[in-house]
Every structure is written in structure tokens, then in C-alpha cells.
Amino acid sequence: MMQRKRKELTPDEAFARLATYCAYAEHSPHEVRTKCKTYGVTGEVCDELIERLEQEGYLSEERFARAFVRDKYRFNGWGPIRLKAELQHHRISSSFIDAALEELEEEELQGESPLLALLERKYRSIPTGLPPRKVYERLTRFALYRGYPYDEVREAISELLADLSDDLGDD
């Protein structure tokens, strides 16, 4: 089967498509650079397009970092360690990463941390009859993968298991 070669776009055509791409959802400059390559635009021309997108408000590293942190925290249950790693993967500058995570911490102080709720949901999916040590290990692995600090994870699991043993003891 023959592959069709994509037609390389002119800078103006590429800008129009990238503007639409960025208007649809927040994207990092790294993602936009990757998209430029699919349009056959590279090097200086791509850098100029990214700069123009930033000037016209279609693209913002800071806005992307804040939206990414907020969405992944709320909907995926990611913790600060995972969020920071993923933003670094998107090549976001550390000042924007730190600002977005600080904003998250302020938000977290106002409400309750989703870690305990996340662990409770995971606990319900673990088969009954497992030794307590295995349950603890599974919950720990799950929370650490999600990007929560070990101390917080250990504390939350202890609280969860203590609450569950209290509930079982009441029967």
C-alpha cells in the first residue's frame, strides 16, 4: 500500500491551522512544534509561528501549565510529583511549573485532598481476602504512581485502614 505524501503548508496556512488547533484546547509550545513538523514546517519558520501564536494569545506556557495541573489533578487524581514530571516532559519552564503547583496547593488547602478519596476507590477494587500487607503495598504503589509524596501516602493509607478496621469492629 502506498502512503500519500502530505503537502507541505505555507507559513500562512500553517498558522491558520495552528491557530485553530490552539483555540480548540490549551497546548504546550512543544506540542505545537510537533504539530508544525506534521505540516512540514520546521526550524526558524516554526519558531516564528509559535512566537506569533503567543503574541496573538493563542498559545501561553503559563496558561497551559495552570490548565494542565488543574485538569490532571481534578480528573486524573495526579499528585504534585507526577504533575511536575509531566510538565517537564512538555518542556514547560520551571517558573511556570512552580507557579501552577503553588496555585494547586492553595486550592488544596481550601478543600480536602483527593488522595484519601482516591485510595478509598482503589481499596474497593482490591479483591477481598488479600493479606493486609498486600493491600498496603497495592495502595502504596497506586498512590506513588499517581505522584503523591510517600509521607502523605503512608499517612493516608494508615488513616484509611484505621477507619476501615473501626467500621469492621462496629458490626
Side-chain angles (χ1 to χ4, degrees), residues 77-137:
W78 289 3
I81 296 169
R82 174 96 186 259
L83 289 168
K84 185 174 185 172
E86 292 293 330
L87 285 172
Q88 288 170 339
H89 178 75
H90 280 274
R91 298 182 183 163
I92 302 298
S93 58
S94 59
S95 61
F96 293 134
I97 293 173
D98 294 341
L101 291 174
E102 277 180 34
E103 191 175 293
L104 176 68
E105 286 175 13
E106 290 171 11
E107 210 175 278
E108 205 175 275
L109 291 175
Q110 294 171 356
E112 71 175 54
S113 171
L115 178 58
L116 199 54
L118 198 67
L119 289 170
E120 286 173 359
R121 270 197 322 272
K122 177 63 180 172
Y123 181 79
R124 287 193 298 268
S125 74
I126 294 174
T128 54
L130 278 181
R133 188 83 203 133
K134 290 284 187 189
V135 171
Y136 183 86
E137 289 170 0

Side-chain angles (χ1 to χ4, degrees), residues 1 18 36 43 63 70 75 80 87 107 134 161-162:
M1 188 162 126
L18 290 171
C36 276
R63 201 173 56 219
R70 186 178 52 249
F75 301 120
L87 285 172
E107 210 175 278
K134 290 284 187 189
L161 295 178

Side-chain angles (χ1 to χ4, degrees), residues 115-117 119-124 126-127 130-140 152-170:
L115 178 58
L116 199 54
L119 289 170
E120 286 173 359
R121 270 197 322 272
K122 177 63 180 172
Y123 181 79
R124 287 193 298 268
I126 294 174
L130 278 181
R133 188 83 203 133
K134 290 284 187 189
V135 171
Y136 183 86
E137 289 170 0
R138 284 189 183 193
L139 291 173
T140 302
E152 288 180 28
V153 170
R154 191 182 67 229
E155 196 175 298
I157 292 173
S158 297
E159 184 180 328
L160 173 68
L161 295 178
D163 288 349
L164 292 171
S165 67
D166 290 347
D167 291 346
L168 294 174
D170 290 344

